[in-house]
C-alpha cells in the first residue's frame, strides 16, 4: 500500500522536518470511545521490534524491514473491523506521517527495555511512552508488559513501575492495558511461558490489583480456559502470541476465549501481519470473522 513516492516523502520528512511528528499527533481525528458499535475492540500490535524481537517463524529478521512492517499495518488498518493499533513511538509516528491513524484507537506501548534474550529481560524498564506523553499526544491509552518470574528479582521493579503507570494513566482517564504473563526458567536458563490455568489466573489477579484504582485497567491475556477468565471482572483482550504453524488452530483458540463475557476483543500482531501464506488482508478478515461470530448471539425463542 505504500508507494515509492510516499516512502520517499516519509524518509525526507524524517530527515528535514521533525516538527511534523508533533503536528501529526495534533491533527489526528480521534474516536470518541474505545469500543466499536458491536461492543468489541480489535487491535493490531506492532511493538515487538523495540524489544529486539524481530523474528517470525523461520525468518529471524522478518520485522526488521520497516517498509514491509508499515505496509502490513496499513493493510490491516484498512479493514473496517480493525479498531486501531498498539505500538511504540517510532511505529505510531510513522503511521501518523503516512496518514493511517485517523478515527482509529491508538495505544502506546510503554516498557520495552526488557530486550528479548537479554540477561536483564525480566527487569522490563519503561523506555518508550510514559503516561504524560500518552496524554499529551492524544493517544487512547498505554500498554505495559508484566512478565512474572518468581525466581527472578527483576520482576519486582517491573511490578512497581507497572503499578505507577496504571495509577498515572487512570488519573488522566486513560486505559491502562496490562499484559501479565507467568514465566519460569528451564534447565538451560531460558524463559518459558507457563500456560497452566493456575499460573495464568494468578498472573491476571496480580495485574488486576496494580495501582491506586482498577477503574481504567484492561487485561491482555493469552487465549485461556474459563477458570482464568473467571478470575476477574476487568475487561480482557486476547493476545495472539507466537504464531503457530497452523493459523486455523490460532483462530479456533481465540474464538473459544472470545465467547467469555469478560473478553471484549483481540490484540494480534505477528500472526496477522506475517501469516504463512503472506495474505495479510485475508488473515485479518479471518480474525475479524472469528470475533464477529463469537460475539453474535442468537435470540432464544420462547414458546407459549
Amino acid at each position: 500500500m505504500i508507494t515509492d513516492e510516499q516512502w520517499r516523502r516519509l524518509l525526507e520528512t524524517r530527515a528535514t522536518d521533525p516538527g511534523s511528528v508533533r503536528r501529526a499527533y495534533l491533527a489526528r481525528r480521534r474516536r470518541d470511545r474505545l469500543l466499536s458499535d458491536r461492543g468489541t475492540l480489535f487491535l493490531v500490535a506492532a511493538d515487538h521490534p523495540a524489544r529486539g524481537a524481530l523474528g517470525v517463524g523461520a525468518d529471524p529478521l522478518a520485522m526488521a524491514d520497516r517498509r514491509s512492517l508499515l505496509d502490513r499495518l496499513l493493510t490491516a488498518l484498512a479493514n473496517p473491523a480493525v479498531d486501531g493499533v498498539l505500538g511504540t513511538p517510532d511505529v505510531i509516528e510513522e503511521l501518523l506521517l503516512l496518514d493511517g491513524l485517523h478515527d482509529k484507537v491508538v495505544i502506546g506501548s510503554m516498557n520495552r527495555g526488557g530486550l528479548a534474550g537479554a540477561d536483564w529481560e525480566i527487569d522490563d524498564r519503561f523506555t518508550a511512552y510514559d503516561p504524560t506523553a500518552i496524554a499529551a499526544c492524544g493517544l487512547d491509552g498505554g500498554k505495559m508488559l508484566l512478565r512474572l518470574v518468581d525466581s527472578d528479582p527483576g520482576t519486582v521493579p517491573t511490578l512497581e513501575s507497572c503499578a505507577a503507570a496504571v495509577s498515572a494513566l487512570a488519573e488522566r482517564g486513560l486505559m491502562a492495558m496490562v499484559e501479565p504473563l507467568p514465566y519460569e526458567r528451564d534447565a538451560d536458563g531460558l524463559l518459558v511461558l507457563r500456560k497452566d490455568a493456575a499460573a495464568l489466573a494468578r498472573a491476571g489477579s496480580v495485574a488486576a490489583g496494580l495501582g491506586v484504582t482498577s477503574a481504567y485497567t484492561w487485561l491482555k491475556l493469552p487465549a485461556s480456559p474459563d477458570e482464568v477468565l473467571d478470575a476477574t471482572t476487568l475487561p480482557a483482550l486476547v493476545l495472539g502470541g507466537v504464531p503457530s504453524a497452523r493459523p486455523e488452530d490460532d483462530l479456533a483458540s481465540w474464538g473459544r476465549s472470545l465467547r467469555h463475557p469478560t473478553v471484549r476483543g483481540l490484540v494480534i500482531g505477528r500472526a496477522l501481519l506475517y501469516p504463512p501464506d503472506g495474505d495479510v488482508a485475508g488473515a485479518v478478515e479471518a480474525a475479524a470473522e472469528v470475533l464477529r461470530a463469537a460475539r453474535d448471539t442468537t435470540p432464544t425463542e420462547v414458546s407459549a
Side-chain angles (χ1 to χ4, degrees):
M1 295 182 68
I2 302 175
T3 66
D4 289 344
E5 176 58 22
Q6 286 175 312
W7 187 246
R8 186 198 66 77
R9 287 201 308 267
L10 176 61
L11 298 181
E12 182 71 13
T13 298
R14 280 298 217 182
T16 64
D17 188 10
S20 64
V21 170
R22 180 61 180 164
R23 296 194 298 273
Y25 275 122
L26 295 175
R28 183 175 76 90
R29 293 192 308 272
R30 293 184 64 181
R31 278 185 20 169
D32 59 1
R33 59 178 179 167
L34 289 172
L35 294 174
S36 69
D37 292 339
R38 297 171 62 87
T40 57
L41 185 62
F42 182 6
L43 304 176
V44 289
D47 58 348
H48 308 79
R51 202 173 67 80
L54 300 172
V56 182
D59 185 353
L61 293 176
M63 299 190 80
D65 185 329
R66 184 50 61 98
R67 180 170 177 174
S68 174
L69 172 60
L70 294 172
D71 194 87
R72 292 163 187 268
L73 284 166
L74 290 172
T75 298
L77 289 163
N79 188 313
V82 175
D83 296 292
V85 66
L86 184 162
T88 46
D90 55 330
V91 174
I92 296 302
E93 289 162 5
E94 286 155 359
L95 291 172
L96 285 168
L97 292 171
L98 290 165
D99 210 29
L101 293 181
H102 290 301
D103 304 311
K104 295 293 186 180
V105 173
V106 182
I107 305 298
S109 188
M110 303 171 74
N111 59 329
R112 298 281 85 190
L115 302 184
D119 291 343
W120 68 86
E121 183 172 348
I122 298 305
D123 185 350
D124 204 344
R125 305 295 177 94
F126 281 61
T127 56
Y129 286 110
D130 60 28
T132 300
I134 286 170
C137 292
L139 304 190
D140 301 292
K143 175 257 182 178
M144 60 209 79
L145 176 60
L146 176 61
R147 285 164 294 186
L148 301 169
V149 183
D150 289 354
S151 61
D152 193 322
T155 297
V156 180
T158 306
L159 267 171
E160 185 177 32
S161 297
C162 287
V166 168
S167 298
L169 288 166
E171 185 178 4
R172 294 162 173 81
L174 295 169
M175 172 207 269
M177 184 190 297
V178 186
E179 181 180 1
L181 297 176
Y183 277 84
E184 61 186 358
R185 294 194 182 274
D186 64 14
D188 296 321
L190 300 176
L191 289 169
V192 179
L193 176 64
R194 295 184 59 184
K195 298 180 180 180
D196 58 289
L200 291 169
R202 177 178 183 255
S205 298
V206 170
L210 293 176
V212 298
T213 178
S214 63
Y216 292 90
T217 302
W218 288 53
L219 299 181
K220 180 172 180 256
L221 300 170
S224 304
D226 282 354
E227 54 262 47
V228 174
L229 301 169
D230 287 343
T232 183
T233 63
L234 296 180
L237 299 170
V238 174
L239 62 90
V242 178
S244 72
R246 289 168 47 86
E248 59 270 29
D249 292 343
D250 293 331
L251 291 168
S253 176
W254 303 337
R256 287 190 292 271
S257 291
L258 285 168
R259 294 183 178 87
H260 193 279
T262 63
V263 177
R264 288 289 182 164
L266 295 166
V267 184
I268 312 295
R270 293 165 292 182
L272 298 186
L273 297 175
Y274 297 87
D277 63 0
D279 183 3
V280 176
V284 171
E285 180 55 33
E289 180 54 38
V290 168
L291 179 56
R292 283 191 290 265
R295 302 303 293 185
D296 280 346
T297 56
T298 304
T300 302
E301 294 185 2
V302 180
S303 57

